[in-house]
Amino acid sequence: MYQLKTSAEKGRYWVASRDIKEGEVVASANAFTWVVCYDKASIVCDNCAFYHKEDTSKELPLSCAMCKSVWYCSPECKEAKQSEHHRECTLLSQIPTLSTKVSTLKKSTQSNIYSSVKLLSR
Protein backbone atom coordinates (compact mmCIF):
# COMPACT_ATOMS: atom_id res chain seq x y z
CA MET A 1 0.00 0.00 0.00
CA TYR A 2 2.90 2.38 0.67
CA GLN A 3 6.66 2.66 0.42
CA LEU A 4 9.08 4.29 2.84
CA LYS A 5 11.40 6.72 1.06
CA THR A 6 14.19 9.02 2.18
CA SER A 7 15.61 12.19 0.72
CA ALA A 8 17.92 14.94 1.94
CA GLU A 9 15.22 17.57 1.34
CA LYS A 10 12.22 15.76 2.88
CA GLY A 11 13.77 13.27 5.31
CA ARG A 12 11.83 10.00 5.70
CA TYR A 13 8.34 9.87 4.24
CA TRP A 14 5.69 7.48 2.94
CA VAL A 15 4.53 7.31 -0.67
CA ALA A 16 1.32 5.54 -1.67
CA SER A 17 1.98 2.65 -4.04
CA ARG A 18 -1.65 2.66 -5.21
CA ASP A 19 -4.63 4.99 -5.27
CA ILE A 20 -6.12 5.49 -1.81
CA LYS A 21 -9.90 5.68 -1.60
CA GLU A 22 -11.51 8.64 0.16
CA GLY A 23 -12.08 7.76 3.81
CA GLU A 24 -9.76 4.73 3.69
CA VAL A 25 -7.65 4.29 6.83
CA VAL A 26 -3.97 4.20 5.88
CA ALA A 27 -2.45 4.21 9.37
CA SER A 28 -3.64 4.08 12.95
CA ALA A 29 -2.07 4.03 16.39
CA ASN A 30 -3.20 4.28 19.98
CA ALA A 31 -2.62 7.64 21.62
CA PHE A 32 0.29 7.74 24.04
CA THR A 33 -1.50 10.35 26.11
CA TRP A 34 -3.91 13.23 25.69
CA VAL A 35 -5.32 16.10 27.72
CA VAL A 36 -8.49 18.13 27.55
CA CYS A 37 -7.89 21.81 26.73
CA TYR A 38 -8.11 24.11 29.74
CA ASP A 39 -11.07 26.05 28.36
CA LYS A 40 -13.00 22.82 27.64
CA ALA A 41 -12.25 20.99 30.92
CA SER A 42 -15.77 21.37 32.32
CA ILE A 43 -17.51 20.07 29.21
CA VAL A 44 -15.26 17.14 28.14
CA CYS A 45 -14.88 14.01 30.27
CA ASP A 46 -11.24 13.63 31.37
CA ASN A 47 -11.52 9.85 31.05
CA CYS A 48 -13.53 9.01 27.92
CA ALA A 49 -13.65 12.43 26.15
CA PHE A 50 -17.48 12.42 26.11
CA TYR A 51 -19.15 15.77 25.55
CA HIS A 52 -22.71 16.85 24.84
CA LYS A 53 -22.63 17.21 21.05
CA GLU A 54 -26.04 18.86 20.99
CA ASP A 55 -25.10 21.44 23.66
CA THR A 56 -21.34 21.98 23.85
CA SER A 57 -21.74 24.52 26.67
CA LYS A 58 -23.38 22.01 29.03
CA GLU A 59 -21.09 21.16 31.96
CA LEU A 60 -20.50 17.57 32.96
CA PRO A 61 -21.97 16.45 36.30
CA LEU A 62 -18.84 15.38 38.25
CA SER A 63 -15.64 17.27 38.99
CA CYS A 64 -12.69 16.50 41.22
CA ALA A 65 -13.48 17.95 44.66
CA MET A 66 -9.82 18.67 45.42
CA CYS A 67 -8.44 20.40 42.30
CA LYS A 68 -11.71 21.35 40.60
CA SER A 69 -9.79 21.12 37.32
CA VAL A 70 -11.12 17.93 35.74
CA TRP A 71 -14.65 16.77 35.01
CA TYR A 72 -16.25 13.38 34.37
CA CYS A 73 -19.43 12.23 32.66
CA SER A 74 -20.16 9.39 35.13
CA PRO A 75 -19.08 7.87 38.44
CA GLU A 76 -17.54 5.00 36.45
CA CYS A 77 -15.31 7.37 34.49
CA LYS A 78 -14.29 9.19 37.66
CA GLU A 79 -13.37 5.88 39.32
CA ALA A 80 -11.49 4.63 36.24
CA LYS A 81 -9.31 7.75 36.14
CA GLN A 82 -8.57 8.09 39.88
CA SER A 83 -5.19 6.34 39.96
CA GLU A 84 -3.90 8.46 37.07
CA HIS A 85 -5.55 11.68 38.23
CA HIS A 86 -4.12 11.28 41.73
CA ARG A 87 -0.64 12.08 40.35
CA GLU A 88 -1.76 15.34 38.75
CA CYS A 89 -4.39 16.43 41.26
CA THR A 90 -2.05 17.89 43.87
CA LEU A 91 -0.19 19.88 41.23
CA LEU A 92 -3.37 21.09 39.54
CA SER A 93 -4.81 22.24 42.85
CA GLN A 94 -1.70 24.38 43.42
CA ILE A 95 -1.78 26.21 40.08
CA PRO A 96 -3.61 29.26 41.51
CA THR A 97 -0.96 29.57 44.24
CA LEU A 98 2.11 29.15 42.01
CA SER A 99 2.17 32.90 41.56
CA THR A 100 0.45 35.69 43.42
CA LYS A 101 -0.38 37.17 40.03
CA VAL A 102 -1.72 34.02 38.41
CA SER A 103 -5.14 35.60 37.97
CA THR A 104 -3.53 38.35 35.89
CA LEU A 105 -1.89 35.86 33.54
CA LYS A 106 -3.29 35.63 30.05
CA LYS A 107 -5.73 32.75 29.57
CA SER A 108 -3.29 31.18 27.09
CA THR A 109 -0.57 31.13 29.78
CA GLN A 110 -2.94 29.54 32.31
CA SER A 111 -3.92 27.00 29.67
CA ASN A 112 -0.26 26.20 28.93
CA ILE A 113 0.49 25.68 32.64
CA TYR A 114 -2.57 23.43 33.01
CA SER A 115 -1.75 21.33 29.94
CA SER A 116 1.93 21.04 30.90
CA VAL A 117 1.12 19.82 34.41
CA LYS A 118 -1.32 17.25 33.05
CA LEU A 119 1.09 15.97 30.38
CA LEU A 120 4.11 15.82 32.67
CA SER A 121 2.23 13.96 35.40
CA ARG A 122 1.08 11.25 32.97
Side-chain angles (χ1 to χ4, degrees):
M1 180 197 281
Y2 47 81
Q3 299 171 334
L4 178 63
K5 296 202 174 196
T6 306
S7 76
E9 304 84 42
K10 297 178 184 177
R12 291 188 319 166
Y13 59 99
W14 293 103
V15 175
S17 58
R18 63 170 177 78
D19 287 344
I20 299 170
K21 297 175 186 167
E22 182 177 338
E24 182 179 355
V25 175
V26 294
S28 67
N30 292 333
F32 174 71
T33 191
W34 59 277
V35 297
V36 176
C37 295
Y38 177 73
D39 62 334
K40 305 286 188 223
S42 68
I43 63 169
V44 178
C45 180
D46 199 59
N47 184 55
C48 72
F50 168 83
Y51 67 100
H52 294 280
K53 292 178 183 173
E54 64 281 350
D55 183 0
T56 57
S57 66
K58 188 173 181 181
E59 285 190 352
L60 296 173
L62 301 169
S63 67
C64 174
M66 184 173 161
C67 71
K68 299 172 181 55
S69 296
V70 298
W71 295 72
Y72 304 99
C73 65
S74 69
E76 293 79 18
C77 274
K78 186 173 182 179
E79 178 65 31
K81 193 71 168 199
Q82 280 307 299
S83 62
E84 184 177 313
H85 177 62
H86 179 72
R87 293 190 301 269
E88 67 191 11
C89 187
T90 303
L91 295 171
L92 289 172
S93 64
Q94 292 177 19
I95 287 176
T97 61
L98 293 177
S99 166
T100 56
K101 299 186 183 246
V102 77
S103 62
T104 62
L105 292 175
K106 293 189 305 184
K107 285 288 185 195
S108 62
T109 302
Q110 290 176 345
S111 179
N112 289 340
I113 292 170
Y114 172 85
S115 296
S116 297
V117 166
K118 288 184 69 69
L119 283 170
L120 291 171
S121 65
R122 293 181 177 186

